[in-house]
């Protein structure tokens, strides 16, 4: 399973890269706004800065919701760097645009996916990545992980090549369960990635090893 970081923070992207486990980055308009990035030129420049840090794919989301607008915006984003993936919402014009991008060789990430039916349409349109939002499904007391399992089963049966990018990850447990449920990729906040490190027995064990070494060598 690949690890993407879900942020527009350059510092956090660098920290995850330094850990040696980073395969890509996803952003969305809310994450860009959170970093105070606004204005078309600044937004495009920021995407370029991210692509200069990571070798893997970087999802840049369109704002347009009509076919012509999505295609125009997506083509411009795709020209920023070879590792830009155009992130397109799961709407009728979005599916149409994903088909156009697929035919043009532009990689896409179909976002705001909440049902197996939507996942079938995105795969049929040729989306490179599919982003089912686990946390937001859990937020309304449905089962986000069941959604990943259902999509993984359908994609395996049908032989779809679209990669399942489990999104809206909120915790280390989400990451572990996404891995068990058949996600190809998880996109996570840095905090959730670092949370995977934690175990009290590791801390206790390390403390004992260091104390024993100190006693034996003093
Ligand atoms: C990533 O592609 C999604 O936009 C993101 O994971 C959404 O996460 P959230 O539900 O925590 O905002």
């Amino acid at each position: 399973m690949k690890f993407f970081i879900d942020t527009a923070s350059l510092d956090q992207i660098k920290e995850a890269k330094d850990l040696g486990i980073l395969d890509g980055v996803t952003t969305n308009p809310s994450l860009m706004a959170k970093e105070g990035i606004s204005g078309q030129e600044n937004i495009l420049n920021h995407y370029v800065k991210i692509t200069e840090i990571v070798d893997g794919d970087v999802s840049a989301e369109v704002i347009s919701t009509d076919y012509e607008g999505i295609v125009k915006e997506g083509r411009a984003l795709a020209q920023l760097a070879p590792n830009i993936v155009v992130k397109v919402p799961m709407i009728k014009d979005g599916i149409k645009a994903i088909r156009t991008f697929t035919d043009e060789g532009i990689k896409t990430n179909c976002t705001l996916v909440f049902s197996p039916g939507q996942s079938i349409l995105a795969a049929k349109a040729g989306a490179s990545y599919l982003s089912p939002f686990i946390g937001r499904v859990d937020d309304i007391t449905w089962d986000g992980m069941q959604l990943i399992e259902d999509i993984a089963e359908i994609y395996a049966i049908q032989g779809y090549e679209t990669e399942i990018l489990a999104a809206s990850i909120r915790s280390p447990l989400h990451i572990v369960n996404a891995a068990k449920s058949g996600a190809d990729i998880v996109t996570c906040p840095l905090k959730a990635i670092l949370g995977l490190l934690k175990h009290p027995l590791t801390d206790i064990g390390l403390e004992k090893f260091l104390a024993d070494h100190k006693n034996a060598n003093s």
Side-chain angles (χ1 to χ4, degrees):
M1 187 173 75
K2 285 183 263 184
F3 271 62
F4 287 3
I5 188 166
D6 194 26
T7 184
S9 159
L10 300 182
D11 287 342
Q12 290 192 15
I13 292 167
K14 284 179 193 153
E15 188 174 339
K17 191 192 173 189
D18 286 347
L19 201 54
I21 51 86
L22 191 63
D23 298 301
V25 177
T26 54
T27 63
N28 63 37
S30 305
L31 293 170
M32 294 292 273
K34 192 175 163 195
E35 296 306 310
I37 315 297
S38 62
Q40 183 67 357
E41 204 180 321
N42 290 335
I43 290 172
L44 296 183
N45 285 339
H46 197 75
Y47 285 138
V48 172
K49 284 182 194 162
I50 295 174
T51 61
E52 285 169 352
I53 298 171
V54 292
D55 298 327
D57 284 345
V58 174
S59 287
E61 189 158 344
V62 297
I63 305 300
S64 304
T65 54
D66 63 294
Y67 171 76
E68 284 76 16
I70 294 171
V71 169
K72 188 174 170 212
E73 226 185 298
R75 283 177 183 149
L77 288 169
Q79 279 185 351
L80 291 175
N83 55 336
I84 284 280
V85 172
V86 181
K87 202 170 174 193
V88 181
M90 166 46 78
I91 53 176
K92 192 175 174 188
D93 282 32
I95 288 297
K96 211 172 137 187
I98 287 172
R99 167 48 60 197
T100 299
F101 290 136
T102 304
D103 293 344
E104 293 178 4
I106 293 173
K107 288 181 87 172
T108 53
N109 174 353
C110 184
T111 189
L112 289 167
V113 171
F114 295 94
S115 79
Q118 292 177 325
S119 81
I120 293 172
L121 267 186
K124 286 294 291 176
S128 318
Y129 299 110
L130 178 90
S131 289
F133 279 29
I134 296 175
R136 293 193 196 186
V137 173
D138 288 353
D139 285 345
I140 58 162
T141 69
W142 289 11
D143 188 345
M145 216 49 72
Q146 185 61 52
L147 176 61
I148 300 294
E149 281 177 35
D150 290 345
I151 296 170
E153 186 181 353
I154 292 167
Y155 278 20
I157 291 169
Q158 298 298 328
Y160 292 146
E161 288 177 6
T162 300
E163 291 190 83
I164 303 168
L165 197 175
S168 189
I169 294 270
R170 303 277 170 77
S171 67
L173 188 58
H174 266 161
I175 298 176
V176 172
N177 286 335
K180 283 164 68 180
S181 300
D184 298 296
I185 307 140
V186 276
T187 188
C188 338
L190 182 62
K191 194 176 168 207
I193 299 174
L194 296 179
L196 292 172
L197 289 165
K198 292 182 190 162
H199 199 290
L201 291 180
T202 303
D203 299 337
I204 292 166
L206 182 60
E207 200 178 325
K208 177 90 167 63
F209 285 156
L210 295 180
D212 289 346
H213 175 81
K214 194 175 172 191
N215 287 339
N217 291 276
S218 57

